[in-house]
Amino acid sequence: MGPSGLLVALALHLAVCSRPHRDYCVLGAGPAGLQMAAFLHRAGRDYEVFERESAPGSFFTRYPRHRKLISINKRHTGKANAEFNLRHDWNSLLSDDPHLLFRHYSQAYFPDASDMVRYLGDFARRLGLHVLYNTNITHVTLDKDPQAWNGHYFILTDQKGQVYQCSVLLVATGLAVPKLVDFPGSEYVEGYESVSVDPEDFVGQNVLILGHGNSAFETAENILGVTNFVHMLSRSRVRLSWATHYVGDVRAINNGLLDTYQLKSLDGLLESDLEYLALVKDSKGKFHVTLKFLLENNSSQSADSIPLPEDDNDNFAMRVAYDRVIRCLGWTFDFSIFDQSLRLSSGTEFSKKYPLIKASYESKGSRGLFILGTASHSVDYRKSAGGFIHGFRYTVRAVHRLLEHRHHGIPWPSTEYPITQLTSSIIRRVNEASGLYQMFSVLADIILLKEHQLLPHFPSSWNTLAPSMLSG
Ligand SMILES: *[C@@H]1O[C@H](CO)[C@@H](O)[C@H](O)[C@H]1NC(C)=O
Ligand SMILES: *[C@@H]1O[C@H](CO)[C@@H](O)[C@H](O)[C@H]1NC(C)=O
C-alpha cells in the first residue's frame, strides 16, 4: 500500500469512527416519535429524532384530505382529575406540561387537522426535543459489534450521505404508503391522496369509490350532495364502529352515505373482491366495471362492447358508466429503507401492511429495533386503540419503561401500599386510569403481594405490559 492508499485507509477509518453516535434514534417526528422523544428527554437519555420534513406531524398537513379529525376533543368532563380526563382526550400526548393538552388548541369536538400540526409543533418546541429536521433517512442497516447493547449498531444514512450510529432504533414512521390496486384499467383510478376535494368538481357525476373505511366514507360524504350517485365497492362488509366498538371502523360522523343508501336514494354499497375487477374506458371517456376473466377470454375487445357480468335477471348493479373511480384503501408501512439484514418483514393477511413485531413492540427480526405508533397496531388490530394517538401514547410509554429497565437498570415504576388500602387502590385505578381504559386487553396493572409483610407491592401510574408477556 503506497502513501495515498494509507491516507485513504486512514480517512475511511476516521469516517467510520467519527460517525455520530446516539443511544436512541427515533425515526419520524409524528405523534409517536415525539411521544417517545418526550420520555427519553425527561429521563435524560442520549437521543435524536430524524424527521424528513421541516416540521413535526407532516402527515397531518395532508391528511385527512377533508381536514376533519375523527378523534374526539372532549374539553369538558365535569371532573378536575387530569388522569381521568385523558380517558376522553383522544389527541393529547403525555407530558408534565398542562399547557400541552389538545383542549387548548381547538374548541371543535372533531378538530381540524391543522390544529394537530400546530399542537405537535408546540409539543416539540416547548419540551425542547432534539429533532433533526430536513433529514431524510433513506437507508438503515446493521453493523455487528459485540460491544453494542444489542450485539449490533443500527447504521442510518440520510439523503446527503451523512451516516449515524444508534444502539436502539425506534421506528415511528407510521403508515404512509398508499395501498394501490392492480387490475386491468387500474391506471384510470384516482387516489385518495391526490383526488380533488372540491365538490364543484363532482357536480352531476357518477362516482365509484373503492374502499369501505373512514377515508372512503369521508370522500363520499364530501361529494354525495352534488353527484348523481356514489357507489362504494370493497371486498368486505361495512363495519360500523358503533356496532363493533372498534375506533378504526366507520364512524357515525362519516356515515352519511349509509343514511341515503338505507333510505333508498341512488347511492349504493357493493361487495366484490377488487382483484377480480377490470375497468374499461369507453369512447366518451366513461368507465365501465367488469370482471377480469371476461376480458381475458377475448383479446379483440373494443371499448364500447364490453362484456359485463350477468345473472339470471340481468340486473348487474354496476352496469352504469362512471365518470370517475377513486381509490380510498388506506396505507401500508414503508419497508423500502430497511436493509435485508434487519429482517424486518410484514405479517400475513390483515397484518400485511404492518411490520412483524412481538408483544413488547420489538421487531421479530432484530433485537433493539422497536416499532411505535400506528405501524405497531398489528399487536391489537381491531381489538384495542394501539393504532391511534389515544392508545399508542401509552404503549410508547411501556416501551420506554422496558428500555429503561433493560439498558439502565431502572425498575418498572411501582408504589407500595399497606394491605388495608389494597381495595381502595384498585377501585381508584378502575375509576381513573387512562392507559388501562384506552388500551384495554393490552396493558394491565400487576399487583404483587409480599409474603409475611402483608404489604402489597402495587405498580404505580404505570401500565405494565400484559401479564402473560411479563411472566413469559
Ligand atoms: C425521502 O427519500 C425518499 C427516498 O428514499 C423519497 O421518496 C422522498 O420523497 C424523500 N422525502 C423528502 C421529504 O425528502
Ligand atoms: C370478442 O369481442 C368482439 C368485439 O368486442 C365481439 O364481437 C365478440 O363476440 C367477442 N367474442 C367473444 C368470444 O366473446
Side-chain angles (χ1 to χ4, degrees):
M1 188 170 1
S4 63
L6 252 180
L7 274 180
V8 169
L10 191 65
L12 272 177
H13 180 73
L14 282 176
V16 169
C17 293
S18 67
R19 64 191 176 203
H21 171 92
R22 291 278 176 273
D23 290 344
Y24 297 96
C25 293
V26 182
L27 285 191
L34 294 182
Q35 182 66 83
M36 179 49 94
F39 289 125
L40 291 168
H41 197 86
R42 192 171 65 181
R45 299 296 164 217
D46 174 42
Y47 77 96
E48 192 76 59
V49 182
F50 299 87
E51 169 55 51
R52 61 186 183 189
E53 302 285 344
S54 56
S58 63
F59 186 86
F60 293 96
T61 62
R62 290 189 284 272
Y63 306 116
R65 292 294 313 283
H66 306 88
R67 307 313 288 146
K68 193 186 275 201
L69 297 178
I70 54 176
S71 44
I72 59 176
N73 176 36
K74 192 153 175 47
R75 298 165 63 236
H76 304 288
T77 62
K79 304 244 160 86
N81 183 312
E83 177 69 18
F84 174 85
N85 285 343
L86 277 172
R87 289 183 167 190
H88 305 286
D89 173 344
W90 290 17
N91 296 290
S92 296
L93 297 179
L94 304 176
S95 79
D96 300 327
D97 184 346
H99 292 103
L100 289 174
L101 287 173
F102 195 81
R103 57 196 298 269
H104 304 306
Y105 287 78
S106 170
Q107 310 226 342
Y109 190 50
F110 292 108
D112 192 276
S114 48
D115 290 328
M116 177 56 77
V117 177
R118 198 162 52 85
Y119 171 74
L120 295 173
D122 276 7
F123 189 86
R125 241 187 328 273
R126 274 185 82 96
L127 298 178
L129 305 179
H130 307 158
V131 186
L132 275 182
Y133 294 106
N134 302 308
T135 306
N136 193 0
I137 299 299
T138 53
H139 190 243
V140 181
T141 187
L142 278 186
D143 189 6
K144 288 214 184 326
D145 188 330
Q147 304 286 310
W149 288 354
N150 293 295
H152 48 242
Y153 289 112
F154 298 94
I155 308 300
L156 280 47
T157 309
D158 74 10
Q159 81 277 19
K160 297 187 196 124
Q162 172 68 52
V163 174
Y164 307 86
Q165 169 185 298
C166 320
S167 300
V168 172
L169 182 62
L170 301 152
V171 179
T173 48
L175 302 178
V177 182
K179 199 173 155 216
L180 303 178
V181 282
D182 180 20
F183 51 70
S186 54
E187 67 272 19
Y188 303 129
V189 176
E190 299 173 79
Y192 170 82
E193 65 281 2
S194 56
V195 69
S196 164
V197 291
D198 183 357
E200 286 298 309
D201 294 339
F202 296 84
V203 172
Q205 294 190 349
N206 305 343
V207 179
L208 176 65
I209 294 178
L210 307 179
H212 267 179
N214 276 303
S215 64
F217 275 87
E218 169 203 323
T219 303
E221 185 88 15
N222 186 46
I223 57 175
L224 62 88
V226 297
T227 54
N228 295 338
F229 56 80
V230 178
H231 285 169
M232 300 182 78
L233 175 69
S234 95
R235 180 172 54 177
S236 58
R237 283 222 158 160
V238 176
R239 285 182 291 232
L240 299 168
S241 61
W242 51 258
T244 61
H245 301 276
Y246 174 61
V247 41
D249 284 336
V250 175
R251 304 277 301 286
I253 180 175
N254 275 333
N255 72 8
L257 182 132
L258 282 183
D259 235 42
T260 59
Y261 172 54
Q262 298 290 5
L263 299 173
K264 306 201 186 73
S265 177
L266 290 164
D267 301 324
L269 292 166
L270 311 158
E271 280 167 38
S272 164
D273 211 318
L274 297 183
E275 62 190 87
Y276 302 140
L277 288 189
L279 206 58
V280 184
K281 192 173 180 178
D282 69 20
S283 58
K284 300 189 201 84
K286 305 221 175 206
F287 303 111
H288 300 258
V289 173
T290 182
L291 296 174
K292 204 187 279 181
F293 81 92
L294 290 172
L295 292 186
E296 280 164 359
N297 288 342
N298 192 340
S299 55
S300 58
Q301 216 48 249
S302 105
D304 291 295
S305 59
I306 300 133
L308 292 168
E310 294 182 38
D311 63 20
D312 293 345
N313 305 312
D314 188 30
N315 61 354
F316 179 56
M318 290 180 288
R319 186 166 286 284
V320 293
Y322 295 101
D323 295 289
R324 46 214 304 183
V325 181
I326 308 169
R327 142 179 76 65
C328 304
L329 298 168
W331 287 268
T332 59
F333 181 76
D334 184 2
F335 288 91
S336 71
I337 65 170
F338 298 96
D339 188 84
Q340 283 199 343
S341 59
L342 292 153
R343 293 185 294 149
L344 192 64
S345 54
S346 75
T348 54
E349 291 175 51
F350 83 85
S351 57
K352 221 173 176 157
K353 59 182 176 178
Y354 299 111
L356 265 183
I357 51 176
K358 305 187 220 176
S360 58
Y361 298 87
E362 191 165 19
S363 150
K364 289 198 172 162
S366 311
R367 190 175 155 86
L369 191 164
F370 290 82
I371 305 288
L372 311 175
T374 300
S376 71
H377 196 27
S378 60
V379 169
D380 64 320
Y381 186 66
R382 298 200 54 78
K383 273 190 260 164
S384 200
F388 313 91
I389 292 175
H390 64 291
F392 66 61
R393 61 192 179 199
Y394 304 101
T395 60
V396 167
R397 182 168 69 181
V399 170
H400 172 64
R401 286 171 173 170
L402 200 140
L403 292 168
E404 287 288 293
H405 182 238
R406 184 190 280 183
H407 297 302
H408 311 286
I410 294 178
W412 203 282
S414 64
T415 315
E416 288 194 12
Y417 292 103
I419 192 81
T420 50
Q421 287 177 26
L422 179 60
T423 319
S424 61
S425 307
I426 293 175
I427 290 174
R428 203 169 132 237
R429 289 290 288 163
V430 168
N431 286 332
E432 263 180 25
S434 63
L436 306 186
Y437 186 85
Q438 309 289 22
M439 289 308 298
F440 56 92
S441 86
V442 177
L443 296 175
D445 280 357
I446 293 174
I447 298 164
L448 304 171
L449 296 173
K450 279 191 188 164
E451 241 179 325
H452 309 308
Q453 296 178 19
L454 294 179
L455 277 178
H457 182 71
F458 199 93
S460 72
S461 81
W462 3 296
N463 313 309
T464 61
L465 295 173
S468 58
M469 193 222 116
L470 280 182
S471 58

